[in-house]
Amino acid sequence: MEFNSASPNTISVFSTLASPFDENSNSSTRKPLSLWPGMYHSPVTNALWETRSKIFERLFDPPLDAPPQSELLNKTPSDSRTSILYNFSTDYILREQYRDPWNEVRIGKLLEDLDALAGTISVKHCSDVDSMTRPLYLVTASVDRMVLKKPISVDTDLKMVGAVIWVGFSSIEIQLDVIQPANGNSDPSESVALTANFIFVARDYKTGKAAPVNRLCPKTEAEKLLYEAAEARNNLRKRKRGGDKKEIENGGVNRLEELLAEGRIFCDMPALADRDTILLKDTRLENSLICQPQQRNIHGRIFGGFLMLRAFELAFSTVYAFAGLMPSFLEVDHVNFLRPVDVGDFLRFKSCVLYTEHEYTDQPLINVEVVAHVTRPEQRSSEVSNRFYFTFTVRPEAVPTNTQFRIRKVVPATEEEARRVLERMDADHLHSI
């Protein structure tokens, strides 16, 4: 069959993405198409690439035989500080790429951008001045917390800014702020719409072992306070790793039994169960996908921001189906990146409502867990790659118009479910202290 592009019935399709490489450069210096970063996620990924220097290009084809960095450098938070500006007020096409059905910014796409920006900042901090050394392999370990302070409009310009605020031996904490002034308000604290803290870890490309990162030297009082707070959070994380199970075993047996008691009524005597209560398993939703090359990052693995987007949108749907009203996002409580996800992996996302809080009737809280599994049918195996925890409420303007509205209490039916609920309740309590 012969294709005739000159036919009046033929519509030619062209790429809407610009090449990240100089069209006038020698073709021998260009990287193969297969090594391009995942440019298909959002305009921010492309914008970050356009501003990257030669140290970023080395990550495509790291010189594994080169020696590791011999001397750690002293860097300040300002050395890694990076900003992204969204010109929503003047760029209609950009605005449409981020618009959600309520004329606000689509949170899932913002999660992608936050992860991309945090990755760029981590590479900036860890780079050295010697182009002959091999670079570090940096991966997202977790999102400590992300809080939405106010709705984010898609019609007003938006700024995303971040910097490294703390480092350990091989770990880095990055704080990101999304800023959008409201009605001409110039107060910086009133302009912050969202805050997020990402944890990255450094690995040696050749050995795969933890690698030391450049030191951080905070200069200003504000930078020193951020460093101290991050240090305290890191110490708390270390204590929690060894203390969760012991705490439930020593002091949480009664709490565990109380949670399970209501669930047993549902399982054993469903006709007598409280109609305002529902089993955790009955709130579940699930979706699955095959991971595609367009979703990869500069290391060839699946982009963490893409995983967060998919998890967020499943969590949103879970709350919508559970509450019966349009959800309103409040925060990402925690995200764990437990193992990398590769191109071609069969990925399954499973969600459920873990528990609800409705002491405050004007803003009931709905806590959702999303777990991502890498499933390998050939090997009859399934491993957890990520755990995501989100908190939602419902849009307050929708409540008065719905006289049937109520938020049900969610109860576990198994001990394993009850333990997960208690762990998240305790983690949320520590965040609020």
Side-chain angles (χ1 to χ4, degrees), residues 240-253 419:
K240 286 294 292 177
R241 283 189 203 115
D244 280 347
K245 187 174 180 182
K246 186 179 292 185
E247 183 178 331
I248 290 176
E249 288 175 350
N250 294 341
V253 175
R419 287 180 179 274

Side-chain angles (χ1 to χ4, degrees), residues 188-380:
S189 63
E190 294 295 324
S191 298
V192 175
L194 182 147
T195 61
N197 290 73
F198 281 71
I199 311 294
F200 276 69
V201 293
R203 297 286 181 265
D204 186 289
Y205 255 111
K206 191 172 184 178
T207 66
K209 296 181 179 179
V213 297
N214 290 327
R215 294 178 289 265
L216 186 70
C217 300
K219 297 294 186 183
T220 68
E221 283 304 312
E223 289 172 351
K224 291 174 183 177
L225 288 173
L226 287 173
Y227 189 96
E228 291 169 3
E231 179 78 21
R233 285 193 296 273
N234 180 62
N235 292 334
L236 181 60
R237 282 192 295 270
K238 287 180 179 178
R239 291 198 301 271
K240 286 294 292 177
R241 283 189 203 115
D244 280 347
K245 187 174 180 182
K246 186 179 292 185
E247 183 178 331
I248 290 176
E249 288 175 350
N250 294 341
V253 175
N254 290 338
R255 294 169 66 201
L256 202 69
E257 285 301 316
E258 287 172 9
L259 276 175
L260 286 170
E262 289 186 73
R264 289 196 190 99
I265 295 174
F266 258 100
C267 296
D268 299 338
M269 298 170 284
L272 301 178
D274 184 351
R275 296 300 97 188
D276 288 330
T277 303
I278 187 173
L279 285 177
L280 184 151
K281 67 178 183 179
D282 292 331
T283 70
R284 289 174 179 162
L285 288 182
E286 178 178 344
N287 61 28
S288 59
L289 63 116
I290 301 296
C291 297
Q292 304 295 337
Q294 293 82 3
Q295 297 147 4
R296 72 193 184 282
N297 60 21
I298 58 176
H299 304 299
R301 292 290 183 37
I302 296 303
F303 179 44
F306 170 78
L307 299 174
M308 286 198 288
L309 180 150
R310 293 302 297 258
F312 173 84
E313 296 194 341
L314 180 61
F316 187 97
S317 302
T318 303
V319 175
Y320 199 179
F322 170 78
L325 289 179
M326 193 61 63
S328 179
F329 169 70
L330 292 177
E331 60 187 62
V332 177
D333 301 318
H334 195 77
V335 177
N336 280 323
F337 292 82
L338 303 174
R339 55 146 291 168
V341 181
D342 293 315
V343 172
D345 277 349
F346 174 24
L347 195 62
R348 303 173 70 186
F349 289 91
K350 301 179 181 181
S351 68
C352 69
V353 176
L354 273 185
Y355 64 97
T356 60
E357 301 172 70
H358 33 72
E359 293 86 358
Y360 307 102
T361 54
D362 58 331
Q363 192 182 60
L365 303 182
I366 304 167
N367 297 270
V368 181
E369 176 189 63
V370 180
V371 182
H373 301 254
V374 172
T375 302
R376 303 187 186 282
E378 300 92 339
Q379 301 173 12
R380 293 180 172 82

Side-chain angles (χ1 to χ4, degrees), residues 3 13 25 27 30 32 41 47 115 151 199 238 317 385 404:
F3 294 97
V13 178
S25 64
S27 61
R30 297 187 190 180
H41 315 298
D115 187 65
I199 311 294
K238 287 180 179 178
S317 302
S385 63
Q404 302 300 315

Side-chain angles (χ1 to χ4, degrees), residues 405-422:
F405 171 72
R406 60 177 176 173
I407 292 292
R408 290 186 173 187
K409 182 179 180 181
V410 177
V411 294
T414 67
E415 186 172 318
E416 188 267 337
E417 289 176 348
R419 287 180 179 274
R420 279 161 46 205
V421 172
L422 288 179

Side-chain angles (χ1 to χ4, degrees), residues 15 17-21 23 27-40 46 49 60-61 292-300 343:
S15 169
L17 295 169
S19 166
F21 306 106
E23 292 295 338
S27 61
S28 64
T29 65
R30 297 187 190 180
K31 301 295 181 184
L33 183 63
S34 62
L35 294 179
W36 285 21
M39 295 173 56
Y40 309 94
N46 196 27
W49 169 257
F60 287 132
D61 191 16
Q292 304 295 337
Q294 293 82 3
Q295 297 147 4
R296 72 193 184 282
N297 60 21
I298 58 176
H299 304 299
V343 172

